[in-house]
Amino acid sequence: MRYLPKSPADRETMLKAIGLRSVDDLFAPIPPEYRLTRDLKIPRQMAESEIVDFFRQRSRENGDGYTSFLGAGAYFHYRPVIIDSLISRGEFLTAYTPYQAEISQGTLQSIFEFQTMICELTGMEVANASMYDGSTAAAEAVMMAVRLTGRRSVMVARTLHPEYREVLATYATHQGMPLSIANYAQDGRLNVQELEKSITPETACVLVQSPNFFGIVEDIDAIAQIAHQNGAMLVVSIAEAVSLGIIEPPRQADVIAMEAQSFGVPLGFGGPYCGVIATREKNVRQMPGRLVGQTADKQGNRGFVLTLATREQHIRREKATSNICTNQALVALMVNIFMTIYGRVGLKELAKQNLAKTAYAATHFARHGKVLFGGSPRFNEFVVETSEDPYAINSRLLGHKMIGGLPLKKFYPELGNSSLWCCTELTTRSAIDTAVGLVAESERSVRSAKEEVEEVTR
Amino acid sequence: MRYLPKSPADRETMLKAIGLRSVDDLFAPIPPEYRLTRDLKIPRQMAESEIVDFFRQRSRENGDGYTSFLGAGAYFHYRPVIIDSLISRGEFLTAYTPYQAEISQGTLQSIFEFQTMICELTGMEVANASMYDGSTAAAEAVMMAVRLTGRRSVMVARTLHPEYREVLATYATHQGMPLSIANYAQDGRLNVQELEKSITPETACVLVQSPNFFGIVEDIDAIAQIAHQNGAMLVVSIAEAVSLGIIEPPRQADVIAMEAQSFGVPLGFGGPYCGVIATREKNVRQMPGRLVGQTADKQGNRGFVLTLATREQHIRREKATSNICTNQALVALMVNIFMTIYGRVGLKELAKQNLAKTAYAATHFARHGKVLFGGSPRFNEFVVETSEDPYAINSRLLGHKMIGGLPLKKFYPELGNSSLWCCTELTTRSAIDTAVGLVAESERSVRSAKEEVEEVTR
Amino acid sequence: MKPKTRKATRHVNQNEGLIFEKSSPGKAAWKLPPLDVPEVDPARLLGNAERRDLGNMPEVSEIEIIRHFTRLSTWNYAIDLGMYPLGSCTMKYNPRVNEAVARVEGIANGHPYQPEKISQGALQIMKTLSECLIEITGMDAITLQPAAGAHGEMTGLLMVRAYHQSKGNPRKKVLIPDSAHGTNPATAAMVNYAVENLKSDARGMVDLASLKQQMNEDVAALMLTNPNTLGVFEQQIHEIADILHAKGGLLYMDGANMNALVGKVRPGDFGVDVMHLNLHKTFSTPHGGGGPGSGPVAVNRALEPFLPAPVVVSKPDGTLGFEYNRPHTVGRVRSFYGNFGMFVRALAYIQANGPDGLRETTEDAVLNANYIRKGLEGIYDLPYSTPSMHEVVFSDKLQAKKGVRTMDIAKRLIDYGFHPYTTAFPLIVPGALMIEPTESESKEEMDLFIEAMKSIAEEVEEDPQTVLDAPHSTRVSRLDETAAARKPVLRWKPGN
Amino acid sequence: MKPKTRKATRHVNQNEGLIFEKSSPGKAAWKLPPLDVPEVDPARLLGNAERRDLGNMPEVSEIEIIRHFTRLSTWNYAIDLGMYPLGSCTMKYNPRVNEAVARVEGIANGHPYQPEKISQGALQIMKTLSECLIEITGMDAITLQPAAGAHGEMTGLLMVRAYHQSKGNPRKKVLIPDSAHGTNPATAAMVNYAVENLKSDARGMVDLASLKQQMNEDVAALMLTNPNTLGVFEQQIHEIADILHAKGGLLYMDGANMNALVGKVRPGDFGVDVMHLNLHKTFSTPHGGGGPGSGPVAVNRALEPFLPAPVVVSKPDGTLGFEYNRPHTVGRVRSFYGNFGMFVRALAYIQANGPDGLRETTEDAVLNANYIRKGLEGIYDLPYSTPSMHEVVFSDKLQAKKGVRTMDIAKRLIDYGFHPYTTAFPLIVPGALMIEPTESESKEEMDLFIEAMKSIAEEVEEDPQTVLDAPHSTRVSRLDETAAARKPVLRWKPGN
Ligand SMILES: Cc1ncc(COP(=O)(O)O)c(C=O)c1O
Ligand SMILES: Cc1ncc(COP(=O)(O)O)c(C=O)c1O
């Protein structure tokens, strides 16, 4: 096998050195009745060229070349080339968790810079080295709030990504953490009155997403006030990191759980992505995940180490703040490089372009279909309600090698024929115009069909 | 500009330090009348995403997705993935010529290994670190022979790649090196009788290619004998390096000039490729190009350096063996890695597959069209003569996203409707069958047309 | 002080500050295309939600970024540089073709919500990988959703809980051997199970007597690592399973050590009910400095109904799709479908190996571990003489006499050009040296490792201080971790 | 002995033998797909032309190859690691997007003989680049065929010769300033022109008097580098051109130093008849450890007929194609069309810059050189006080008093974390320190460089031996080049 650095002679010599006659002797400890005496029924050994062909073929069957208006927690932004040039260096790609600081300073310093930039962008004081993704980060953030407040019940905004809600439910069930859902109002934002009414002295935290699942910026001030007045914490989930370039971060939050995929991470059919948790300094000892801290060596040279490990499973075992061990380090490095490339000015300009494309699209959709929650501030997503079933419209778009917005029925039955559209800096005006045109067509035909019916019934 | 690591403030400080007021002052030495006072008329500054789009578009206009039967000095072999993983490391990609040995051992050792493997494969004793390509390597090899023999005239086989012949002619003209061409015989090999007759005491060297332009292995023994009996050197050009896996190298040659593109170098529309010159130890001081030699440092550690530099332009100036300075180092590294991957056994197996595919194709073509020079040993190319103009057949193949063989008219008018086909390990049986089918069709239609005519005239 | 090794030398290495220290207003590494729609006024659109200031985010040029991360990278050790003998981590070669295919356009840019009709490629990859892993483990069904091993443990225990729940009683506790990895107890706690320690016997295996005695109807499952963290195969695995099953308990297998079994034994064949795999260990996906990973969970028929939703299914029309309607599911453990990019790499690895390659791989992994064991036996204390599979665990007992502990030896290894072995566990071995070479090491590299370990053992006798002060050849040495934890500095601040 | 620098530190670095020393029969890094056609018997097909043995070619596995070249790479210095102040080499940043676009399928895999109809992409790239370079140089026509600068020189001189030939007399000699790069005279010789040296005046410029006196009808051309290798712009360039033209001679410009002019001045505007460019210098294509390069040659109308064939032309039907029918061509200088992959990179670089970016680039390059000049003036001897453009040339006069020569200082720079400057030429400066920072260096990096050079100057005074013995921080130091040349070992042999 081409990955194995041994010749038959090497194996012979080694077996002799060990004092064994055959390779089978190595497996003597395994009771014979369990030993596999046949080949595994898996594909035969393939040449590299065959493997490449196999995946090229799969790629062609996977929407390659389609223009997409999908967002909903996974965003298509341009990935500067140097991200892959740098993360492909073996010293990053094939390194382990940086427990041995003397030969891991590269990874450690880059994580320290990552933590710093996340703090700068979120307005928090500390950030960890990554969590699995935005959904698990949100769940862990809630558990953090539960530990910090000593309360157990949780208020969750219905405008939180539906799959994040599902994941939270899975994590919460067996920990005796009652979840209650707060609905959204006419304006597509969390219904603050409802929140005020339903929050209790048992509420450990309120969990909202902003921009929320509809792309709308929540009224964090109001929500924070209610939460804090009731002794609850505010946990804010951020699914579209690029929004931080132009949207004021939820500085009033106690914990921020974010999905950083937008920062240079490929869509990759849903993963690997990069969750992050950020919070205030005083909460750090309840934080899950790895943390890198600055220190000095014997000679007083600045250096970095993994720190506050007493929170973690390998030290604390069942008393750990979380069971997380392997995280999303290399993806966090992509995010890190992306943040470094765009930086203070570029991130704002990038976000502005997303804003402009989305404003243009929303305005033009509004001329034909109905754009919901129009009055509220939004970033790069918006909800369009059509007369026709969006699935039908979308299948027509597919004919133009376009993927339309995400039909919301599945997650929000009451929204009927609405779908969630997303535009980024990569969405071209002409693509928007084409999509708008097809929606307009659909509206026209439905209308004329209606009129015909009226004709007849008249 | 995003590649420039300076802020306006940096520039200010630096200008002040120098004692200048403005950037223009830096250009004071240039007489004002020549200074450009307008923008260059070139494309505006583009975003990285736009650049990528531009070249993706060009790619689509460039035969992307076509199956090709072209060889003729540029061969499509599989390139193992690790070649690019490794040559993309900045330490190789962005390093200069290894003049400073202490911080260039990586490049130096890899070239030393390259020289060694080229020697192993060619049967020569020394090889240089690369030349521009196979054509210039051949020209420089001939000039080497001229210097070594003190004779000036050169016999060139007509079966040498026609473009190599053109390049040699360009190099030779002004150096008073008369070239004479030796034609090929019925069997597609250099006409040895003709060679014997036309070689003179003035002949510095005989230059042949093997496998030759028709893909046929030349009778090196016979040619070497004639050359050496007449005190001339034998220079052999090798255009298809993979042939070395299964074809005996021209060990009787005095100089070998080779094109190593087949060893892991992308077709890249003709370049950059990798020329190499190999010869006997005794000729080394007349060799052009860089050489790496083994030595030791103060502590006796093994190390490598550029050596025998007194042959080169930067020391010898007008007395140098060649004017070459920048060579094809990074491409030589691709070749090096490719040779290392396939090695002693793999190269043979790879060559065998080329042989098998070509034998299969030739046999099937022979059933319909006429395969010329059929009796002679060949590697992965063969000449097919069709009744119809090959350009017409090829345009039909294009319809099937296939690129047919190279019509030879242009280079060998006497070969009329013949074209040069090539198969490598990447040529699939089904592709061959399709191509054969189309040629068969063409033959049929021509035949039936002929018959019709006969009908009429009868 | 210069170690006697043929493995490494010191060489000039670039320093590099924090990126923030290179920032200066007006530098930029980005450039956006001209906007093809009208400009907008953020203030008008966003009101007071508009952000005005991005604080101390850096402003640097592209070449500075290239140099920054290239220089940083040269401070790291990596598999690509040499042996990484971390026990339990399975630091094997990460094939580059995996990286290449993961970047093919349609695979890298597929959106998780794009219509199934145009997602057949991704679905096919998930299905093929699932089938391979089911065959390799000998289990009946699988979920690819968990993002790492620990996440898989949680998913597995949630299914255990759901299973017992379906039988009317979720039960109270999970048995975990004292040799287990920290994630096992941590996970049990997250799923709200009490952890009960199970002690090992003199051979380093589960003590059957205590198991029998501790097993009862309150026990939901036993979390067993097999081979366990000593590298020892639990020979009475079937008795263990029987004891559990007799009392209605389930056998959870931590599959972190599958590299010792693939193609040779199948957990499904020796009584395992549920297990996780670490694609970033056994199946060659890169560790990337700590992640990402992927922790598929394979189960037997009885547990299949509880798998997280969605699962990949073949639809009547022959195409593939996701099934969300799973009444008994434990629910989602992650958004979308898991770390898909790792599925691609793991499948490419399986294809590159085939049945013969995977078997050879396992054989070489076990061969390597035993070769090292043989080479170091006597020089380092071997607390358990039970035969080793893919890893071997020594203790620092002999060196401790000179006041040299496992971590000191580990640090000294760095001077010899190696990454240290694992020191953190198993807890049943005080001062453990946990060594897993994997199949990726050549005889040459392992001979150098053995030579280095022997040489260090000699140093401990002749000159312990050199070992205690190690490493001596690195940019920085023995960073002050206590200070770091006492007054944590977790981010850069202007004027730091 | 530890240099006082903030730039570099020593760090552990892997040793690595020759690949042949790792070879062992049966190891393999390759695997071929199953053959889909019948096997053949080579002996039958090839007779005695069949090769049976591949000698000492290595047999190793994939991971060994990855480690081999990764370890080797860590022994190299590179632009990605730090400043590369090699005078005349223009070691600027090599943008990664260039590498990415060069690898796009249809661009990387296009066959040079594929029909023009399906080669429009490649032809478009060549045409666009040609137009850009013509505009940048201010010339009338161009060939992209030459593979490097020296190759371009040869092509240019061949055209000069053809031009004179067409006027009835090829002429005998070429004038070359004593400051010229070695390739200039070497090239003249290859084209069978006698080389006549032209001396420089006190300001380091062409001595007009001697030029007037040496110029006659035997002189085919003057090969001038402008700015010349002292980094000095030839201010009387037009007089120079006039003197040549008056006698029917041509002005050849070596464009290696175009990085000082792009967007600010155009050779075509100051009387140049023919010139070459180095895409691997001015236009950012990577040096790759010595190549590949690309050396396009731009000419004025009078020389256009002599361009190598083929040239890219627009055809009546609006598509692009190659024109081979060029009756006056000097012929081919290379197979196919030149180093196409470098055209792709150079064009991507031009697009990334645009007119404004290219101008800024030139300005920064000149700014950097003058900043270094200012920083080191007085500390190192400046033989020519004439204003500098993109590079500055000092001499070791002051340090030579202590027996320290330019090469010693260069080697000591390595300990300070820098690659040395150029020492080999210009020959008119004994003990030259030829320094070209390019635009790619930040103020920070250059301040470190100046600091290092100053510190070395101090060391020369206080402790010259340390400088004479440098470098001290590298894996190997001061390798024995004399021995290497006396008894050349140019390849590995078994049992070496
Ligand atoms: C035995 C064992 N179990 C579980 C884990 C946790 O797996 P992960 O790090 O993928 O979460 C590890 C990883 O180190 C391990 O070694
Ligand atoms: C002034 C000058 N002329 C010519 C050359 C030769 O160019 P190339 O190395 O591309 O052949 C160089 C390269 O170093 C140079 O600096």
Side-chain angles (χ1 to χ4, degrees), chain D residues 83 85 91 365 368-369 372 390 435-441 446:
Chain D
M83 181 179 182
M91 296 297 285
N368 278 358
I372 286 178
H390 68 298
I435 301 169
E436 178 185 11
T438 84
E439 71 280 4
S440 300
E441 298 311 323
M446 285 191 300

Side-chain angles (χ1 to χ4, degrees), chain B residues 239-257:
Chain B
E240 171 44 298
V242 169
S243 67
L244 289 168
I246 196 71
I247 308 273
E248 183 64 8
R251 301 181 193 275
Q252 314 89 319
D254 300 281
V255 188
I256 291 180

Side-chain angles (χ1 to χ4, degrees), chain A residues 96 132 290 323-326, chain C residues 87-89 148-151 153 181 183-184 225 229 254 256-257 276 278 280-281 293 425:
Chain A
Y96 188 65
Y132 301 137
R290 298 187 187 120
N323 69 335
I324 190 169
C325 177
T326 289
Chain C
S88 206
C89 299
H151 205 211
E153 294 173 29
H181 186 267
T183 50
N184 293 183
T225 309
T229 62
D254 179 331
N257 293 343
H276 79 261
N278 305 65
H280 47 297
K281 296 174 192 252
F425 79 112

Side-chain angles (χ1 to χ4, degrees), chain A residues 11 34 36 38-39 41 95 102 107 120-121 133 163 170 175 246 248 268-269 295 348 357 429, chain C residues 36 49 51-52 73 76-77 108 110 135 190 238 264 289 332 335-336 351 359 364 411 478 480 491:
Chain A
R11 296 190 177 97
Y34 305 133
L36 200 63
R38 58 163 178 89
D39 274 357
K41 298 194 192 66
E102 289 90 346
T107 298
E120 288 294 337
L121 288 177
D133 77 335
E163 293 198 1
T170 310
Q175 312 203 8
I246 196 69
E248 183 63 9
F269 205 64
T295 183
K348 182 177 213 120
K357 302 263 189 177
R429 177 186 202 137
Chain C
D36 62 356
R51 176 176 208 160
R52 296 227 157 51
S73 76
N76 278 2
Y77 191 86
E135 164 69 2
M190 278 182 88
H238 217 305
K264 305 292 289 188
R332 269 189 176 282
S335 61
F336 311 123
Q351 291 172 326
R359 192 192 308 108
D364 277 1
K411 293 294 185 191
R478 298 272 177 143
D480 186 340
R491 56 154 297 175

